[in-house]
Amino acid sequence: MNSIKLWIGRNSMGSVLLLAVVLLVVFPLALDLFRLNLVGKYLSYAFVALGLVMLWGYGGVLSLGQGVFFGLGGYGMAMFLKLEASDPITTKIQSTPGIPDFMDWNQITALPVWWTPFQSFPLTVLLILVVPTLLAFIIGYAMFKRRVGGVYFAIITQAVALILTVLIIGQQGYTGGVNGMTDLKTLMGWDTRTDSAKYILYFLTSGLLLGAIVLCAWIQRSKLGTLLLAMRDKEDRVRFSGYDVAMFRIFAFCLAALLSAVGGALFSLQVGFLSPSLVGIVPSIEMVIFCAVGGRMSLVGAVYGALLVNAGKTLFSESFPDLWLFLMAGLFIGVTMAFPMGLAGLWEEKIRPWWKSRRQALREAAVKPPAVAATPVVPTPEPTLPEGVGSQRA
């Protein structure tokens, strides 16, 4: 038992185990199915926050276009689900049965060639992982090899997000346009709208998220994680030591894109639709806020940040529909000004030292022996001689 506790403490896995208990035990027991499904949606955003911790917190590169990779993963899964929902029997009333309804509305009479691979689920999963990672590699190679970074890289990623949004909306016949892809009901014949399916998808999302945290924590503790930190703080020194700084940053960017794509695919499965509103600049900035509020140096903190911001967004929009945007802005500004390192920084700098000092004081008080009360000394009265005795002796 002591060896297990020592391993947990040495590898800083205590916070991960606590998060696992919260996600796998507390939330399923405390929340109804509707709220649990919302939490599952929030956890799909947490994948993006994890990627930003690795890219921004450890690599020192801020990307304001992570919605691009989230959207690519989501659209990949949505395309498979849409093709499954568009079988010839279900779409027999269309002029061209067997293709998605928005294609039929736009007078497209045959399934495009680039849609064909998404008829296979294994190939769909492979493309969800490969396509966003390949795009991130191309962008990263073009930028980092030319030493483009800082605010310039952030602006370029914003431009990529805007381009992809315009492309999706403009190609309505192939992507569903501004309405996106809706009516996603089944996964290989399995109805994803049932209560049991929602529970399974929630636990699947939680399990994959915890696995992603463990993977990222392993990278952080490796030599690669040390080099990422070194490049963030002393880039020139790492370069003069013989390391290719650009390739390490490309790796961090590709890892962040891969995690974002997984989150987007899980989002499409749980919510049942996907639209270009989740791909553009605004959602990409919101994803950065998740990471900033939770703590850009903490993997577990980024998950809590995604949960807190999205829960606040839901609560404020339900209770104050006219003011919720201002309340969300106030939440973000207040947290970042009071705690620059996010909620994780608050824990590490304030709560944890206070808790340690309190435990130490309680431990010392329990070990210290109680003080023994001193017995008061009563002075002994001197004997008195009878009157006249002293004078006789004299």
Side-chain angles (χ1 to χ4, degrees):
M1 188 66 179
N2 292 331
S3 61
I4 296 176
K5 290 182 179 180
L6 185 62
W7 179 83
I8 291 174
R10 186 186 300 117
N11 294 279
S12 303
M13 296 301 291
S15 57
V16 180
L17 293 177
L18 179 60
L19 177 64
V21 171
V22 171
L23 296 181
L24 302 178
V25 179
V26 177
F27 282 164
L29 294 177
L31 301 177
D32 56 46
L33 184 58
F34 174 74
R35 295 294 176 183
L36 191 66
N37 191 30
L38 285 179
V39 173
K41 184 179 76 170
Y42 304 159
L43 294 179
S44 65
Y45 290 128
F47 283 89
V48 188
L50 287 183
L52 285 169
V53 169
M54 300 301 295
L55 177 64
W56 181 30
Y58 267 68
V61 179
L62 176 60
S63 171
L64 296 179
Q66 292 304 105
V68 170
F69 310 110
F70 184 86
L72 287 175
Y75 266 97
M77 181 59 69
M79 289 166 70
F80 172 79
L81 299 177
K82 191 64 178 178
L83 287 176
E84 185 173 350
S86 304
D87 60 279
I89 298 176
T90 305
T91 59
K92 61 182 179 180
I93 61 173
Q94 295 179 180
S95 57
T96 307
I99 64 174
D101 48 10
F102 55 82
M103 292 185 182
D104 188 66
W105 300 337
N106 288 273
Q107 287 79 46
I108 295 177
T109 58
L111 189 69
V113 176
W114 56 277
W115 269 74
T116 306
F118 294 95
Q119 293 176 330
S120 168
F121 183 70
L123 194 53
T124 298
V125 173
L126 180 63
L127 290 173
I128 287 173
L129 300 177
V130 170
V131 172
T133 306
L134 181 60
L135 177 62
F137 178 83
I138 294 172
I139 297 173
Y141 193 89
M143 296 296 105
F144 297 136
K145 281 295 184 179
R146 290 168 174 79
R147 300 189 183 183
V148 176
V151 65
Y152 301 103
F153 181 79
I155 293 174
I156 290 171
T157 54
Q158 275 196 330
V160 174
L162 180 60
I163 291 170
L164 184 61
T165 304
V166 173
L167 181 64
I168 292 174
I169 294 175
Q171 299 297 320
Q172 182 174 348
Y174 300 101
T175 62
V178 69
N179 295 321
M181 297 188 189
T182 59
D183 200 27
L184 310 177
K185 302 176 182 178
T186 60
L187 174 66
M188 295 188 293
W190 178 50
D191 192 348
T192 58
R193 299 170 299 174
T194 62
D195 293 349
S196 60
K198 291 179 180 179
Y199 276 112
I200 292 173
L201 289 175
Y202 170 79
F203 284 110
L204 174 64
T205 303
S206 301
L208 289 176
L209 180 62
L210 292 171
I213 292 175
V214 173
L215 172 64
C216 293
W218 175 76
I219 293 175
Q220 288 180 351
R221 291 192 301 270
S222 66
K223 183 179 178 181
L224 176 58
T226 304
L227 285 172
L228 288 176
L229 282 177
M231 287 185 299
R232 184 195 66 184
D233 298 331
K234 298 291 182 181
E235 178 182 342
D236 291 336
R237 181 172 296 180
V238 175
R239 183 178 288 109
F240 294 153
S241 298
Y243 293 100
D244 191 346
V245 173
M247 293 308 298
F248 284 103
R249 286 184 170 171
I250 291 170
F251 168 80
F253 191 39
C254 291
L255 176 62
L258 177 65
L259 292 173
S260 301
V262 173
L266 292 170
F267 181 91
S268 296
L269 276 174
Q270 293 184 92
V271 180
F273 79 93
L274 196 74
S275 70
S277 62
L278 299 167
V279 180
I281 295 175
V282 174
S284 298
I285 295 176
E286 287 183 353
M287 293 167 185
V288 175
I289 293 176
F290 304 157
C291 181
V293 170
R296 63 188 179 94
M297 292 296 296
S298 172
L299 297 169
V300 175
V303 177
Y304 285 121
L307 291 172
L308 176 63
V309 174
N310 283 283
K313 186 176 180 180
T314 301
L315 178 63
F316 293 153
S317 62
E318 290 176 350
S319 304
F320 309 100
D322 297 330
L323 300 174
W324 72 273
L325 284 174
F326 299 98
L327 295 174
M328 285 297 301
L331 172 66
F332 171 63
I333 294 173
V335 170
T336 52
M337 290 186 65
F339 317 111
M341 296 305 294
L343 298 177
L346 172 65
W347 169 261
E348 292 293 336
E349 297 174 4
K350 303 292 184 181
I351 300 178
R352 192 173 182 178
W354 173 83
W355 179 251
K356 282 187 175 181
S357 62
R358 181 175 176 83
R359 289 183 61 186
Q360 183 67 23
L362 292 174
R363 191 180 297 111
E364 291 176 355
V367 173
K368 186 178 180 181
V372 179
T375 305
V377 179
V378 179
T380 305
E382 296 181 0
T384 57
L385 298 177
E387 185 177 356
V389 173
S391 61
Q392 293 176 0
R393 289 182 179 178

